[in-house]
Amino acid sequence: MAGSLRYLPSGNIQLRVYIGTDQATGRQLVRTRTITTRSKRAANQELARFVAELDPLRQNSDAIADRTMADRHCCVEGSAP
C-alpha cells in the first residue's frame, strides 16, 4: 500500500505515505502531510500527488537506509564521515 488517509478529530485529514524500512532499527519510514478539505475525492487526489512527489524517495529507500546505516556506523566508531 502506497498511502492512506487518516481523519483527525480536528476535521483535517492526514496523508500518510510509506517510503520503506530503516534497516538499522527495523522501523517503518512514513512521511505525513496534513490537509484541510471536506471532500474525500479532493483528499484522494492530494494523496495521489503526495505519493507521486515521494516516489523517487520510495524507490531509493534501500539506498538511503544503507547510507544512514553507514553514517551511524561511522559515528559509533568515532571517525569523521
Side-chain angles (χ1 to χ4, degrees):
M1 173 163 58
S4 62
L5 302 175
R6 179 184 284 178
Y7 295 90
L8 303 175
S10 63
N12 293 335
I13 299 174
Q14 183 182 57
L15 310 176
R16 297 174 48 86
V17 178
Y18 171 78
I19 60 169
T21 303
D22 183 342
Q23 293 182 357
T25 64
R27 298 179 77 185
Q28 291 185 353
L29 300 173
V30 177
R31 296 293 181 257
T32 62
R33 178 178 291 168
T34 303
I35 61 171
T36 303
T37 183
R38 298 290 179 213
S39 166
K40 185 174 183 179
R41 183 178 191 172
N44 281 320
Q45 290 173 343
E46 187 62 32
L47 178 61
R49 281 192 286 273
F50 191 38
V51 168
E53 178 183 321
L54 293 175
D55 195 52
L57 187 60
R58 293 178 63 226
Q59 291 176 357
N60 295 326
S61 65
D62 290 337
I64 291 168
D66 289 342
R67 188 174 31 213
T68 301
M69 182 69 153
D71 289 345
R72 286 183 184 159
H73 178 70
C74 181
C75 294
V76 168
E77 295 298 320
S79 60

